[in-house]
Amino acid sequence: MKKHIVVIGGGITGVTSAYALARQGFQVTLVEKNRYAAMETSYANGGQLSASNAEVWTHPSTLIKGLKWMMKADAPLLMNPKPSWHKFSWIAEFVANIPKYERNTIDTAKLAIDAREHLFAWAASEGIDFDHKREGILHIYRDKKGFDHAGRVSKLLAAGGLARRAVTPEEMRAIEPTLQGQYYGGYFTESDSTGDIHKFTSGLAQACERLGVKLLTGHEVLSVASNGSTATVQVRHDGQTETLSFDGIVISAGVHSRRLAAQLGDRLNVYPVKGYSITVNMPDAASQAAAPQVSLLDDETKLVTSRLGDDRFRVAGTAEFNGFNLDIRADRIAPLIRWVNECFPGIDTRKVVPWAGLRPMMPDMLPRVGAGKKANVFYNTGHGHLGWTLSAITAHQLAGHVAQGLGSRIQALSGMSPATA
């Protein structure tokens, strides 16, 4: 008999988890409260598959900037000063992880590089069209201070196996001719890429169903429990409540993972860090010609961009510590539109769709992947701002953990043995 695993959460980590487990031979059920997969944080993010963005945030400068920007409504990093035990405990652990900044950055870069092989292979195998563009990512800097810090980060990324090169303002214009403004220099990572996370996740969810995964969409998880051999999930669907039983459970519920982990006897200090995006619809030829093909990351404003097909341009970023608030604030969206107008003045920004999502952040900025205290409980969550970038490798690792934990035969995924880290 196949072991039956339930995966809680239909975002990018939940769907990749279900896919990796199904390919390993498990019977899998995925539970998602929305009608479709990828309707929350995996809906309209920055679109980058960016090993070059592997630098963790646990750097002293983050604290300095956070204090400086606290009273500035449109700041790239905004902290609501209203006290909460969750927020303060998270910040305390964040500070405690500052000494691990270099090691965690290197480890994240390694994960991001390893993830590419799996994600690209899965997309090719399943025929998923997600507006994938392999044009690289260009980091841009307006002053020497930012550029010099990027040079130090580049050494850490190189230690993790990522090659990226410094470029002059002239080389930047050659890489992306549409970019306007004055810059000190940049760093270009040719191996990075971009795409539409919603299209990818939706396509992989369909592939999961072809592999026999049962998708219970529109099912709200009320509670979870485990006695070590049987896991139970209480769900509500169409007004009816039902309790389902499984051999094992995987929590991939994004910012809701902390609550579910507590019910299973585990502490998982995930905090919801809100990010914003705009999707600029460009039906006219002039805007399409004025929009960049190469993805950008502006370290000063903490904004990233992706070109999605011919007629969409995505700009995303900022970080807001404001609990589970999903309000789309005009004063947080305005800087994104202003940035487009300044850097790409030829784009018509009259047709802009704003969005906000909650990134599931761990204090050390590393995802939680592996077993819980109970023998049949597992986690794949807490990916923060690199959810899509890291999703394929953490799903691959998760499959190894579940196979080992439940005593199943470990099979190769795409010809590669599961990771045991």
Side-chain angles (χ1 to χ4, degrees):
M1 293 284 293
K2 289 184 179 180
K3 296 287 187 181
H4 192 177
I5 311 297
V6 61
V7 177
I8 308 298
I12 184 63
T13 55
V15 171
T16 52
S17 296
Y19 181 77
L21 289 167
R23 289 193 54 167
Q24 183 120 330
F26 289 102
Q27 182 182 353
V28 181
T29 294
L30 186 146
V31 181
E32 164 57 36
K33 68 179 180 181
N34 292 293
R35 186 178 179 184
Y36 309 103
M39 292 304 294
E40 293 193 7
T41 309
S42 300
Y43 183 73
N45 76 349
Q48 290 188 334
L49 292 162
S50 52
S52 61
N53 198 18
E55 181 190 12
V56 296
W57 296 4
T58 50
H59 190 275
S61 63
T62 305
L63 299 178
I64 296 170
K65 291 174 181 176
L67 292 172
K68 182 178 71 174
W69 289 334
M70 188 171 289
M71 305 310 295
K72 188 179 179 184
D74 61 353
L77 173 62
L78 183 65
M79 176 80 69
N80 184 336
K82 184 178 180 180
S84 79
W85 171 248
H86 184 194
K87 186 192 300 178
F88 288 160
S89 70
W90 190 93
I91 292 172
E93 290 183 45
F94 179 92
V95 172
N97 275 283
I98 287 177
K100 302 175 184 177
Y101 159 80
E102 292 189 357
R103 187 185 76 190
N104 287 351
T105 294
I106 293 169
D107 289 347
T108 303
K110 290 178 179 178
L111 285 173
I113 293 168
D114 290 343
R116 293 170 175 168
E117 187 173 6
H118 298 276
L119 189 142
F120 295 164
W122 294 352
S125 174
E126 303 297 344
I128 301 172
D129 177 12
F130 59 104
D131 292 328
H132 193 201
K133 190 175 283 291
R134 303 180 76 162
E135 300 287 343
I137 294 178
L138 176 65
H139 284 59
I140 61 177
Y141 301 92
R142 293 174 176 81
D143 57 38
K144 185 177 186 299
K145 182 180 179 181
F147 182 80
D148 288 347
H149 177 76
R152 294 187 289 272
V153 173
S154 285
K155 293 179 181 179
L156 300 178
L157 298 178
L162 182 70
R164 73 172 186 171
R165 59 186 174 92
V167 290
T168 65
E170 292 74 22
E171 290 172 314
M172 291 169 61
R173 282 188 284 272
I175 292 168
E176 183 44 69
T178 64
L179 177 64
Q180 303 297 308
Q182 299 298 314
Y183 301 94
Y184 183 87
Y187 274 86
F188 186 49
T189 311
E190 295 174 274
S191 58
D192 277 342
S193 59
T194 60
D196 187 324
I197 186 175
H198 180 72
K199 283 188 174 183
F200 177 85
T201 310
S202 298
L204 197 66
Q206 294 174 19
C208 284
E209 290 189 287
R210 292 194 293 270
L211 289 173
V213 174
K214 185 177 182 179
L215 266 60
L216 297 182
T217 56
H219 284 65
E220 180 187 2
V221 174
L222 302 178
S223 65
V224 294
S226 169
N227 62 11
S229 58
T230 300
T232 58
V233 181
Q234 186 183 50
V235 297
R236 181 165 53 212
H237 176 65
D238 287 342
Q240 301 296 313
T241 300
E242 183 181 6
T243 299
L244 309 173
S245 297
F246 305 91
D247 297 306
I249 184 170
V250 174
I251 303 298
S252 292
V255 296
H256 305 290
S257 298
R258 177 174 178 263
R259 173 179 62 87
L260 298 177
Q263 296 176 17
L264 295 165
D266 294 307
R267 182 175 183 274
L268 192 68
N269 202 8
V270 172
Y271 191 86
V273 180
K274 182 160 63 173
Y276 292 87
S277 80
I278 57 172
T279 302
V280 185
N281 292 308
M282 308 181 297
D284 59 295
S287 290
Q288 293 173 16
Q293 297 290 340
V294 173
S295 177
L296 304 173
L297 194 155
D298 186 337
D299 268 338
E300 180 181 328
T301 59
K302 304 303 179 189
L303 296 180
V304 304
T305 77
S306 297
R307 180 71 177 267
L308 304 176
D310 293 330
D311 59 358
R312 290 185 300 149
F313 181 48
R314 175 77 47 78
V315 180
T318 76
E320 184 177 313
F321 288 75
N322 196 19
F324 285 85
N325 181 292
L326 267 171
D327 293 345
I328 299 177
R329 293 172 44 177
D331 58 356
R332 307 289 286 158
I333 291 295
L336 278 65
I337 299 173
R338 184 166 61 246
W339 186 91
V340 175
N341 291 334
E342 292 172 354
C343 296
F344 302 97
I347 296 178
D348 187 333
T349 53
R350 284 177 291 186
K351 296 180 179 179
V352 169
V353 180
W355 174 86
L358 300 175
R359 308 179 187 97
M361 289 279 191
M362 294 291 290
D364 61 358
M365 310 301 293
L366 296 175
R368 170 72 183 276
V369 186
K373 290 180 181 178
K374 304 287 180 64
N376 62 344
V377 174
F378 305 90
Y379 296 94
N380 183 21
T381 190
H383 293 61
H385 67 297
L386 293 176
W388 192 17
T389 297
L390 302 180
S391 61
I393 187 60
T394 60
H396 178 66
Q397 291 176 340
L398 171 78
H401 285 294
V402 175
Q404 185 178 35
L406 297 186
S408 299
R409 181 169 61 91
I410 297 178
Q411 300 175 350
L413 292 178
S414 303
M416 294 167 282
S417 60
T420 57

